[in-house]
Amino acid sequence: MALTGRAALLAALGSIPIGVLEPGWTGILAVNGPLALACACDYALAAPVRRLVLSRSGDTSTRLGETADVTLTVTNPSRRPLRAQLRDAWPPSSWQPSTETEASRHRLTVPPGERRRVTTRLRPTRRGDRQADRVTIRSYGPLGLFSRQGAHKLPWSVRVLPPFTSRKHLPSKLARLRELDGRTSVLTRGEGTEFDSLREYVPGDDTRSIDWRATARQSAVAVRTWRPERDRHILLVLDTGRTSAGRVGDAPRLDASMDAALLLAALASRAGDRVALLAYDRRVRALVQGRSAGDVLPGLVNAMATLEPELVETDARGLTAAALRTAPRRSLIVLLTTLDAAPVEEGLLPVLPQLTQRHTLLVASVADPHIARMAEARGDAEAVYEAAAAAQAQSERQRTAEQLRRHGVTVVDATPEDLAPALADAYLALKAAGRL
């Protein structure tokens, strides 16, 4: 039997969950019967939340510092129009803190049997995978007095890739590479094994490059020019141990190392060399090998996206063994690690002969520009003490680099902004000298 009058009002009010009462309404409803009836009707006319059908589409990856758009499609299968506020929840690192409220909250109206789309624009502040949490929807009645609320789990993942800011240096390095390859009027005097052409001797040329037969046929001394060898093997080794977690500026050292590795990989793949990546601390964190020239850079970027520094001491012997397994043939091994005295002297130097016996080794390290600024500081006693401490740190770093050079290691030590181009220049110098 249908309820009428006071019984109907009590039944309607009894069906309203306490959680949907807006602040301040509890006392008003206790003394105002008509308003209570209006609120009950408003609640009854709000579209149900549980029956909504939701789906996602949009970007699955973006570079750090750029945006990603994820579209949420809301379908209303009920007979009541949906008037709702929607919150699309993501981890805090999915956007700048000041934009989280504006980016994640949406208002929408969906007529019965129709669908609408809303777009959440993410601007991640960290690398890695960002997973969507849940979608919370608050459905209002036509008067906006009461609401129904519910949440839907709707998985979606956006991978945040390294920004590759050193890409801007690639055109100038490729121009230098074309010079080495003899594609312009400048020819290299390196000791590659691929013969290119003859030219007249100039002071400073290696006398071993003189072509005596060609010289006998003409009045001038002729020397051979060589193209740098192609199809060389490059192994990029990222040290992901505790020293890579140290922050230089606004980012960990590991981020600057990855940026330099990406520029070198792009350059080496254009030069026809084979590039592989190994990330290691006490175990292998990432391994990329056997990729074609067109696939190597996307493979490296994707593997680096989820790398994070590990707060453990790097196992130098394990790293060496992993590098030798990954590079069984003669290769250029580029080790991006620290030049701090203790890790190098206690970890790297004892195992160095195993690497340099068969391979060419290049060690690249991120220098802290704040140390250089401290070394130049003057003015008061505190500044002088800071300058003395900075000078001592620089001296120890230079001494460590010199120890490595005495073992035949090429060392690149530069600030985060200069590391990528400096590493690329060192690679080109080794290629020009025929050491690859």
Side-chain angles (χ1 to χ4, degrees), residues 237-239 278 280-281 314-324 335:
V237 181
L238 288 174
D239 179 359
L278 170 68
Y280 192 95
D281 42 72
T314 299
D315 178 9
R317 293 187 181 277
L319 184 148
T320 301
L324 294 176
L335 175 58

Side-chain angles (χ1 to χ4, degrees), residues 333 348-349 352 356 360-364 401-412 435:
I333 296 180
L348 183 58
L349 284 179
L352 202 57
T356 57
T360 301
L361 181 61
L362 190 160
V363 172
E402 189 57 36
Q403 284 182 295
L404 293 173
R405 292 188 181 100
R406 285 199 294 268
H407 287 80
V409 178
T410 301
V411 179
V412 175
R435 293 183 57 189

Side-chain angles (χ1 to χ4, degrees), residues 20 30 65-67 91-92 104 107 200 203 239 340 373 386 425 430:
V20 301
E66 299 179 359
T67 60
S104 65
R107 286 186 174 272
E200 187 175 345
D239 179 359
D340 294 345
R373 291 193 295 269
E386 288 183 353
D425 288 338
L430 290 172

Side-chain angles (χ1 to χ4, degrees), residues 65-81:
E66 299 179 359
T67 60
D69 290 340
V70 180
T71 299
L72 188 66
T73 301
V74 181
T75 303
N76 179 15
S78 71
R79 297 181 180 180
R80 308 172 202 165

Side-chain angles (χ1 to χ4, degrees), residues 16 20 39 77 88 163-164 182 194 236 241 245 248 274 373 405:
I16 301 177
V20 301
C39 291
D88 191 3
F164 194 10
E194 183 181 350
L236 305 172
V248 178
R274 300 175 182 268
R373 291 193 295 269
R405 292 188 181 100

Side-chain angles (χ1 to χ4, degrees), residues 142-224:
L143 300 178
L145 300 176
F146 273 77
S147 63
R148 302 172 185 263
Q149 180 169 307
H152 293 255
K153 279 284 188 179
L154 204 60
W156 191 263
S157 178
V158 174
R159 173 156 289 190
V160 186
L161 307 173
F164 194 10
T165 55
S166 62
R167 185 192 297 270
K168 61 187 177 183
H169 299 290
L170 187 57
S172 63
K173 304 309 175 186
L174 289 176
R176 175 58 181 155
L177 178 64
R178 287 192 292 270
E179 292 179 0
L180 293 180
D181 280 345
R183 299 175 192 170
T184 66
S185 58
V186 180
L187 292 174
T188 180
R189 288 181 280 172
E191 298 177 358
T193 58
E194 183 181 350
F195 175 70
D196 181 58
S197 62
L198 295 171
R199 62 171 174 79
E200 187 175 345
Y201 175 86
V202 295
D205 283 335
D206 190 343
T207 56
R208 293 173 296 180
S209 298
I210 296 176
D211 189 317
W212 296 108
R213 291 186 179 181
T215 300
R217 293 194 300 266
Q218 58 189 31
S219 58
V221 178
V223 295
R224 300 184 184 94

Side-chain angles (χ1 to χ4, degrees), residues 123-160:
R123 192 177 183 88
T125 58
R126 292 177 56 189
R127 288 181 294 101
D129 292 333
R130 297 292 168 265
Q131 306 286 345
D133 185 10
R134 68 186 64 194
V135 178
T136 303
I137 300 177
R138 180 173 291 179
S139 172
Y140 290 91
L143 300 178
L145 300 176
F146 273 77
S147 63
R148 302 172 185 263
Q149 180 169 307
H152 293 255
K153 279 284 188 179
L154 204 60
W156 191 263
S157 178
V158 174
R159 173 156 289 190
V160 186

